[in-house]
Amino acid sequence: MGAIQLPDIVEVAKFGGSSLADKPRRDNARDIVLGKYDGKRRQDVVVSFLGRQFYNSIKPSDTLEEIGRRGSDDIRYRSLLDDTISMLQEVTREEGLTRVIVGPHKGLRYDDFIAKELIWRYETRGQISPDAHEVMMICTGEFFQAHIKADSLAAQGVPVQLLLPETTGFNFTGSIKDAHVPNQSIDALANALGDLEIFNVMPGYYGIHLDEKGDAQTLSSWDGFPRFVLAALGRGGSDTTAQYLTVARLRWLRANGYNNTQIRHSNFTDVQGIAVADPRLIPDVAFNRFLSYNDATVLGASVVHPHVYGVAKEHDTPLLVRRSFAPDENGGFLRGFDPQESGTLVKMRCSGEDYAQNPNPDLVGINYKQAEKSLVIVGPSINTNHQVRQGIESVLLTTGVASMTASEGNNYLQFSIPDSSVAQTAVKLLYNKFFRQA
């Protein structure tokens, strides 16, 4: 195979539900993939299901989860199923898609495909465990979103293939609802990629479940397409799928002689990066430019799935979190994309020059972890800069949080605060001290 001229950095793009929630956003995502705003084509794409903005402000994945969790012959749940079928059919009409263009269901009428597929999944509840049925229903959203995204690209004359777990060997082990991705599955995904002249679209969140013997449980289907019990990477697992696809593309690059080409996972979302603090507490919060994998892991930055940081660190595949649209004056959606908006790059190590580009070079984040009832404060010099540490402790003392409650690591301090209102006050006071200029 002749060498393909590559950019300095190959990007695997992931679009969350908020970036695909309606027709303008889906068109915007397509234009980002095709490089219409910045000249960078993003051949490998992972998609989530539709976000909340679509369909009367109901998050469609929540509806699918409800059907999967409580599905029965009850009229209410069949009604929800019918509503979901109608919603997906409406999306294909918005995209101008009448028949499936790419993948094993090529040529089928979309209206029939959607109805038969959803009804079949709904009716598997008597064949598989309750957890497996819940996953089966939830991942229907990603399954169809990948088809729609691939076909919308194909309709533009773009060469594209659909990377479905059912056909690529993207298998999971462990728990059905919080699965593990074995190394062999990453290799299988790398082998399925093909060259960089072809666009690849992959559904996030799910893969094929392997039991303790390493076998997949097959299911009868309405269409002759291979069907199996599925497993999920946990809520928000499409982010993790994209990180594994990034690892797979890196292996493909090295196997094909592209030894100097860099790679990263670009996670396109509705915020401009990883914030210093919770935007719900600090509406005008600042955003970091650089974080290390350790910084992001300890901070628990939830704009992407927390498992992503561990995968990124294990394989050293950097992650860029960035906004997928050009905001209006109120931060709302405008079609477009600002290549100059840098986002937050998460990588193995950050230099002093990197940290100097953040809002505060000494601190990168303040986060209250509700489940753990703990306040974590993260920064590269938090345990070496006496002035910074003294400033943190003086602020916390005003809220009644004693320094003796702290645990610490190389880049963080952690305080036990059972009262969430006290913790929220502490976050605001710390932000004012370290991130607002007098």
Side-chain angles (χ1 to χ4, degrees):
M1 181 185 68
I4 301 169
Q5 185 65 39
L6 298 182
D8 293 335
I9 300 176
V10 171
E11 290 186 65
V12 173
K14 185 266 178 177
F15 294 92
S18 60
S19 297
L20 302 168
D22 54 27
K23 172 65 170 167
R25 287 172 170 81
R26 292 193 298 274
D27 287 348
N28 197 60
R30 180 200 63 210
D31 290 344
I32 290 173
V33 168
L34 296 176
K36 290 189 176 181
Y37 300 126
D38 59 2
K40 296 179 181 178
R41 288 160 58 95
R42 296 164 174 91
Q43 263 84 1
D44 301 322
V45 182
V46 173
V47 291
S48 296
F49 195 24
L50 303 171
R52 190 179 302 276
Q53 289 91 336
F54 185 87
Y55 210 56
N56 300 324
S57 295
I58 298 172
K59 191 173 184 181
S61 59
D62 290 345
T63 301
L64 288 170
E65 182 176 4
E66 185 175 1
I67 297 169
R69 184 175 295 170
R70 305 182 184 180
S72 69
D73 290 324
D74 185 278
I75 293 174
R76 165 170 165 70
Y77 297 108
R78 184 54 196 251
S79 176
L80 287 173
L81 185 71
D82 290 341
D83 286 347
T84 305
I85 290 171
S86 296
M87 175 196 65
L88 283 165
Q89 290 172 339
E90 182 179 341
V91 171
T92 60
R93 284 190 284 272
E94 287 181 346
E95 296 293 327
L97 299 172
T98 303
R99 295 184 181 272
V100 180
I101 302 173
V102 176
H105 294 92
K106 180 178 179 180
L108 285 181
R109 287 181 56 83
Y110 254 113
D111 280 0
D112 295 337
F113 178 32
I114 290 167
K116 290 179 179 179
E117 179 70 19
L118 266 163
I119 291 170
W120 173 81
R121 289 178 181 243
Y122 179 74
E123 292 178 346
T124 62
R125 68 189 182 281
Q127 307 173 44
I128 57 181
S129 71
D131 282 353
H133 186 250
E134 183 179 334
V135 169
M136 178 71 75
M137 291 307 305
I138 293 172
C139 71
T140 306
E142 282 75 15
F143 176 82
F144 278 119
Q145 187 67 70
H147 279 82
I148 292 166
K149 180 55 63 181
D151 284 348
S152 70
L153 289 169
Q156 300 287 314
V158 173
V160 59
Q161 69 171 342
L162 192 59
L163 296 178
L164 295 174
E166 293 89 341
T167 57
T168 60
F170 195 50
N171 300 326
F172 296 172
T173 58
S175 167
I176 279 181
K177 295 177 74 173
D178 191 15
H180 170 72
V181 179
N183 192 57
Q184 299 94 311
S185 292
I186 307 174
D187 286 339
L189 195 53
N191 291 334
L193 283 175
D195 67 44
L196 282 163
E197 293 177 344
I198 299 174
F199 285 76
N200 299 283
V201 179
M202 183 174 184
Y205 179 69
Y206 80 96
I208 307 306
H209 182 254
L210 301 182
D211 62 21
E212 293 179 355
K213 296 180 180 179
D215 296 326
Q217 179 185 342
T218 59
L219 301 172
S220 59
S221 66
W222 64 271
D223 56 358
F225 180 60
R227 299 303 178 126
F228 308 93
V229 170
L230 305 178
L233 292 171
R235 192 78 177 202
S238 293
D239 295 328
T240 315
T241 299
Q243 200 66 41
Y244 281 117
L245 181 57
T246 306
V247 178
R249 177 55 81 185
L250 177 62
R251 292 183 182 181
W252 184 95
L253 288 167
R254 298 299 180 258
N256 285 276
Y258 298 100
N259 296 319
N260 298 317
T261 302
Q262 299 180 55
I263 194 165
R264 71 182 177 211
H265 161 199
S266 288
N267 193 290
F268 291 92
T269 182
D270 57 354
V271 295
Q272 65 193 72
I274 297 177
V276 167
D278 189 340
R280 292 170 296 184
L281 293 177
I282 316 290
D284 60 343
V285 70
F287 290 83
N288 288 298
R289 178 64 187 92
F290 291 99
L291 291 175
S292 71
Y293 299 135
N294 285 340
D295 292 334
T297 299
V298 175
L299 185 60
S302 60
V303 66
V304 296
H305 194 292
H307 289 175
V308 168
Y309 306 123
V311 177
K313 180 179 180 180
E314 180 182 357
H315 300 279
D316 194 12
T317 45
L319 164 70
L320 179 66
V321 181
R322 65 190 310 179
R323 184 155 43 190
S324 64
F325 57 88
D328 63 20
E329 60 184 12
N330 297 314
F333 174 83
L334 282 179
R335 186 169 173 179
F337 171 66
D338 183 2
Q340 303 304 313
E341 190 173 81
S342 55
T344 303
L345 182 64
V346 186
K347 58 182 183 174
M348 186 66 79
R349 296 177 184 84
C350 294
S351 66
E353 292 181 356
D354 291 334
Y355 284 120
Q357 296 182 56
N358 289 338
N360 186 314
D362 297 309
L363 294 181
V364 298
I366 311 160
N367 186 30
Y368 182 62
K369 299 181 178 181
Q370 182 70 44
E372 302 171 18
K373 303 294 183 184
S374 65
L375 176 69
V376 63
I377 307 163
V378 183
S381 60
I382 201 164
N383 285 311
T384 58
N385 188 319
H386 177 72
Q387 186 176 3
V388 169
R389 180 156 184 163
Q390 188 177 54
I392 291 169
E393 292 177 350
S394 67
V395 168
L396 293 181
L397 282 173
T398 66
T399 67
V401 179
S403 61
M404 68 182 63
T405 65
S407 60
E408 61 186 78
N410 292 332
N411 66 332
Y412 73 91
L413 293 174
Q414 188 162 315
F415 298 84
S416 175
I417 309 180
D419 189 330
S420 61
S421 63
V422 172
Q424 290 171 7
T425 298
V427 169
K428 293 175 182 177
L429 291 173
L430 287 165
Y431 188 87
N432 288 340
K433 180 173 180 63
F434 289 101
F435 294 96
R436 294 196 192 279
Q437 298 299 318

